[in-house]
Amino acid sequence: MAVTLKPRTRHPAQAARSPLIRRSKGGGLSRAVGVPGLFATAYGNVGSSIYYALGLVAVHALGLTPVVFLIAGLLFMTTAYSYAEGASMYPEAGGSSSFARHAFNELVSFIAGWALSLDYIITIAISAVFVPHYLSAFWPPLAQSPWDVIGGIIVVLFLAAVNIRGVKESASLNVFLAVADLTTQMLLVLLGTLLIFRPDRLVSNVHFGVAPSLTQLIFGLSLGMIAYTGIETISNMAEEARNPDRDIPRAVNYVLCAVLSLYAGISIIAMMALPVYKNAAGHYTTLLAQGPPHGYAEDPVLGIVSRLPLHVLATGLRFYVAILAATILIIATNAGLIGVSRLNYSLSQHFQLPEFASRIHPRYQTPYVAILFYSIVASALLVPGIFFSGESSFLGDMYSYGAMLSFTTAHIAIIALRWKEPNRVRPFRVRGNVRIRGRLIPIPAVIGAMGTGTAWVIVVVLHVYARYVGTAWMIVGLVGYVIYRRRQGLNLTESRKRVIETSTGPQFEVEFQSILIPVTTQRDCVPPEVLETAMLLAGERRAIVTLLGITEVPLDQEVHEPVAGAREQFERMTAQARAVADQYGVRLHATRVRTRTPAQAILADAESRNAEVIILGATGLKPSSIRRRDWVDPVAREVSRDAHRRVMFIHDHERAAA
């Protein structure tokens, strides 16, 4: 199908630096982040959970807490890789909900998205309530009810107000805090190893079958994944990576190495500093599993610092850890608010939630309805902590319910996409595959799905509050989904995206995920109109744009012989295209082929990448000739005739007139 488009046609995904088009406030992210920045961002989100997960897991796992973190870490590894592959294909808000939409349908997508919403709410609540626990190093009443709950609610509501006004956190501050946190945890592990490490205590801490019992251990394992809250960050990394094919795998591997090793080290040192003992009632316990005023379940890292024999340095290090932990937990709370508002917007745009759920503030241009709603829900979850103990354990149970369901869906979606779309471009592909009926099935995703699925069943069976409250959350969401879809005249599974209304042009939907720009290396440059149109189409859906350089080899020359100047010219074109792509925050891939049949090379590349649209520059081609099929360009004629996908011709009217 051939489509003509004038270069001045406006589009909602407008970008700021274009001389023709103004940028919308929701434009794409600049692709300027390398491996260090990606690592710091991901570690800063995932690493914050150690400040509360250590105590929650130790309550049940006792001396086997390090083993629980190790097993949970292996599941985290498989989940991180599945998220990375899915995000590289569909770099858009939604995470597992987005993957499920492309792999299955809207109903499965909503189930994953609604479960993920629960995760975000719990992340907001649990990160916020632990802020006053760590600040209790300066004022002890903050460690106990009602001051911890009041402090947590204040943190949530303050950040909600900040996000409604649209004040953004500093990326450089996040990197600094991630580095500070990583350094601090390494320092604690080193000091603990030098000062208190005793290998025999690792054995004496464990009384398997009694402390912990098999039920306690399974209970602890089901809570273990709470240590890796923030894993959704992996799904956003592809949007910002300078070179996704290379940088994402490296960043993911570095995050895995850092998190797994440090969590194992911190948990071991914690059991050295706060060992298992038998209390007056004859029960095995540890101060890491007890609440204030004598225990450290609510501020476990402070407990480690307090038990290190540092003498005069202990107080200073305690205050430093308290400030660092509180700051990182505030940023984690803020990240949860940002994440849930983006997810909410994605669900609304696909008719999974009512349109008002993604309503934008008329002045601040932020999704204020979603921010207000989820901040109120998160605050409400903290209120029972004023009257009942065990607030943190309840939140941990709830997180495990939503997380395991969401992660399992993500794994299964990645496996299904391998089967459904085996030839789709995957800038990052999970390693460790087995070929089944011509499809490469990722073994890590299979193991991950089995592990997280089993963990979800354990949560439902053993965690009473999670079973009832979590299930009620899902039922309410599904009932609302069914009613809303019926009122919209949609069935439960069909996909539809809201039409974007513009004041200057027609209404249409943007569904492109992969855009191909073929250009011959005999040209001086890539036509600016072609680049601009591709970037506009890509910006709304975070599509991948591929620049395909066609080097046509003369008949009197062997195909493998180099064509003079072709490589250098393509590198100049690539630099030109990357500069434009960076302005629009769009991912650009560049590749070159040598061929005697350019049209066939274009068609073959489009098929292999599953490109939804091919954009061709047509300087010498008139709109009337397209309507009459009176082609001037034989390559364009052949591509339009044989392509099983959209072909878009962009005209340079000024050049044509000249």
Side-chain angles (χ1 to χ4, degrees), residues 184-194 261-262 264-266 269:
T184 301
Q185 292 189 31
M186 292 174 62
L187 176 63
L188 290 178
V189 172
L190 177 61
L191 289 174
T193 302
L194 295 175
S261 58
L262 283 176
I266 285 287
I269 297 304

Side-chain angles (χ1 to χ4, degrees), residues 109-122 124 340 343-344 347 353 370 372-381 394 397-403 405-406 456 464-481:
S109 171
F110 174 78
I111 292 172
W114 195 241
L116 188 57
S117 296
L118 180 61
D119 291 351
Y120 277 122
I121 293 170
I122 300 304
I124 293 166
V340 76
L343 173 62
N344 193 85
L347 296 177
L353 290 177
L372 278 176
F373 174 76
Y374 289 109
S375 61
I376 290 172
V377 173
S379 299
L381 288 175
F394 165 72
D397 293 353
M398 293 302 301
Y399 178 84
S400 296
Y401 182 100
L405 183 56
S406 181
W456 183 78
V464 178
Y465 291 124
R467 177 166 67 246
Y468 292 116
V469 179
T471 303
W473 171 267
M474 297 304 300
I475 291 174
V476 169
L478 282 169
V479 170
Y481 174 81

Side-chain angles (χ1 to χ4, degrees), residues 95-135:
S96 57
S97 175
S98 173
F99 310 157
R101 175 178 300 111
H102 295 285
F104 304 111
N105 54 52
E106 291 297 320
L107 177 59
V108 180
S109 171
F110 174 78
I111 292 172
W114 195 241
L116 188 57
S117 296
L118 180 61
D119 291 351
Y120 277 122
I121 293 170
I122 300 304
T123 298
I124 293 166
I126 200 168
S127 298
V129 80
F130 271 81
V131 171
H133 289 162
Y134 277 93
L135 292 180

Side-chain angles (χ1 to χ4, degrees), residues 362-427:
R363 178 178 178 184
Y364 301 118
Q365 297 297 304
T366 54
Y368 72 102
V369 173
I371 294 172
L372 278 176
F373 174 76
Y374 289 109
S375 61
I376 290 172
V377 173
S379 299
L381 288 175
L382 296 179
V383 172
I386 298 177
F387 309 101
F388 307 102
S389 60
E391 174 74 12
S392 300
S393 180
F394 165 72
L395 293 175
D397 293 353
M398 293 302 301
Y399 178 84
S400 296
Y401 182 100
M404 295 305 103
L405 183 56
S406 181
F407 295 166
T408 302
T409 305
H411 286 302
I412 296 174
I414 294 304
I415 297 169
L417 285 168
R418 288 286 191 93
W419 192 268
K420 181 180 178 181
E421 300 181 4
N423 297 322
R424 187 175 188 87
V425 175
R426 290 172 169 81

Side-chain angles (χ1 to χ4, degrees), residues 26 41 72 80 95 120 124 145 193 203 222 242 245 252 335 398 417 563 609 642 647 653:
T41 302
Y120 277 122
I124 293 166
S145 179
T193 302
V203 178
S222 64
R242 184 180 296 120
D245 300 41
V252 169
M398 293 302 301
L417 285 168
V563 176
R609 297 178 188 279
D642 297 338
V647 180
H653 297 288

